[in-house]
Amino acid sequence: MADRPVARSAIAPAPPVAVRDGWEVSTRRASGALRLADRSPLAKVLVRADPDGPFADRIGVATGTARRTPANALAASARPGEWLLMGPPGSAGNLADDLGAPDDGELVTVLDVTHGRALMRLTGVRADGVLAKVCGVDLSDRAMPDGSAAGTSVARVATDIVRDDVAGVPSYLLHCERSSGQHLFASLLDAGREFGIDVDGYANS
Amino acid sequence: MFRIPCPYCGPRDATEFRHQGESRNRPDPRTVTRGQWRAYLYEKDNVAGWTRENWYHGVGCRRFISVERNTVTNETRPAAAAAGAVDPVLPGAEAGAPDADSTRR
Ligand SMILES: [Zn+2]
């Protein structure tokens, strides 16, 4: 059972391919300093609530920001009243449970969108240069520092960008509707070619 | 190409938005006459200069916003500068209605 996939990403895995956490994934390792990797197997939970209500206070992530939770999940809010929680594969139920129940009368939506969204990670000191070719937001450290989130258009795909640096190296998580995932991945590879972009394989964060 | 100052997302390219037309006060559908409703829908001021408009930020905050735009120069500025500013209200999305928010998504 362990090597039989139960899920496939919208993004075709670059060979070699193996099964990890139930997902058919690439185990390729990038050689370059600029890397693009599919992260669709990460659990994704979408939360909607009144941005000024008590549930929003409990989440504690302001619009336009992202923050690591104590359980090492990432909570990001690209627009008022909406949060995306991202965690290790298979953790969607825990992410939802950790939120707890809303107060009486507050309308809150918690939805597992793991298989409905594509998620990818672009990492490298030139990552902003790649994004700048296909996206109009200000990517400077002043406007988009580590721990910020923005909903925008990337390669003409409605995409949420979360800046989540890895060991001090600029890194961006990009998520979009599953049906646009392969196109966005290919567009970023195309935009990154002049910077020497390379496809990296599976990791669980 | 010009930029629109979104009150939720900051300045963004106009291509991220959909133009919703001049900002105007919607008559109460319970008391409006046919003539008033027609005027609300179709009779625009169409000024050459500064005007107040509604835009939909579809790929960003997914909110309807108001901004001021100079129709001659395409300069934009936040609508808060306008006197008597009124937030855009969607038909069927009246303040306090339980589904007011869901109709905007
Ligand atoms: Zn916006």
Side-chain angles (χ1 to χ4, degrees):
Chain A
M1 277 301 288
D3 56 358
R4 279 187 60 195
V6 293
R8 288 190 175 89
S9 167
I11 300 160
V17 174
V19 174
R20 298 282 185 274
D21 297 317
W23 288 70
E24 188 180 81
V25 298
S26 169
T27 55
R28 178 187 165 87
R29 285 296 161 242
S31 53
L34 180 63
R35 306 184 296 279
L36 181 65
D38 185 10
R39 286 292 179 269
S40 298
L42 294 196
K44 310 173 206 73
V45 172
L46 188 73
V47 181
R48 283 186 178 140
D50 180 351
D52 303 315
F55 206 80
D57 284 346
R58 196 189 303 174
I59 298 172
V61 176
T63 303
T65 69
R67 187 167 63 77
R68 291 266 161 207
T69 69
N72 206 33
L74 185 66
S77 179
R79 55 187 58 80
E82 186 180 303
W83 296 263
L84 188 75
L85 314 179
M86 291 162 275
S91 68
N94 293 337
L95 293 174
D97 289 346
D98 287 349
L99 290 169
D103 296 344
D104 282 350
E106 186 174 11
L107 181 64
V108 173
T109 306
V110 179
L111 188 64
D112 180 356
V113 295
T114 301
H115 299 274
R117 294 282 179 88
L119 178 68
M120 57 207 80
R121 185 183 276 283
L122 177 66
T123 305
V125 290
R126 304 297 304 276
D128 60 343
V130 179
L131 281 181
K133 290 174 67 177
V134 287
C135 168
V137 297
D138 184 350
L139 297 160
S140 67
D141 281 338
R142 182 183 52 77
M144 187 113 190
D146 186 24
S148 52
T152 184
S153 164
V154 179
R156 297 187 182 170
V157 174
T159 304
D160 288 355
I161 303 177
V162 179
R163 171 113 181 243
D164 179 46
D165 290 0
V166 177
V169 178
S171 187
Y172 301 87
L173 285 161
L174 300 104
H175 65 102
C176 63
E177 295 294 337
R178 177 186 172 93
S179 51
S180 302
Q182 181 73 67
H183 169 75
L184 181 59
F185 197 81
S187 298
L188 290 169
L189 283 182
D190 190 37
R193 193 163 297 144
E194 66 173 291
F195 304 102
I197 199 168
D198 198 4
V199 174
D200 200 27
Y202 179 70
N204 65 359
S205 68
Chain B
M1 173 71 80
F2 58 96
R3 284 193 185 143
I4 292 174
C6 176
Y8 302 103
C9 307
R12 295 291 184 88
D13 288 344
T15 54
E16 292 196 0
F17 300 79
R18 182 171 296 178
H19 188 229
Q20 300 286 317
E22 286 176 11
S23 208
R24 47 217 294 138
N25 292 329
R26 184 173 67 109
D28 187 336
R30 290 165 298 196
T31 57
V32 70
T33 66
R34 282 169 178 264
Q36 287 167 334
W37 192 254
R38 188 190 182 286
Y40 165 66
L41 289 178
Y42 300 114
E43 292 176 13
K44 310 300 183 191
D45 293 334
N46 199 25
V47 299
W50 285 101
T51 183
R52 184 184 164 91
E53 297 175 323
N54 294 345
W55 292 76
Y56 174 61
H57 196 184
V59 299
C61 53
R62 296 180 197 143
R63 299 272 174 145
F64 289 83
I65 63 162
S66 286
V67 295
E68 287 188 295
R69 179 174 69 96
N70 188 312
T71 57
V72 178
T73 63
N74 270 338
E75 291 172 275
T76 54
R77 64 192 183 198
V86 181
D87 278 339
V89 178
L90 288 180
E94 299 188 50
D99 61 347
D101 209 39
S102 62
T103 59
R104 300 182 184 205
R105 300 189 194 284

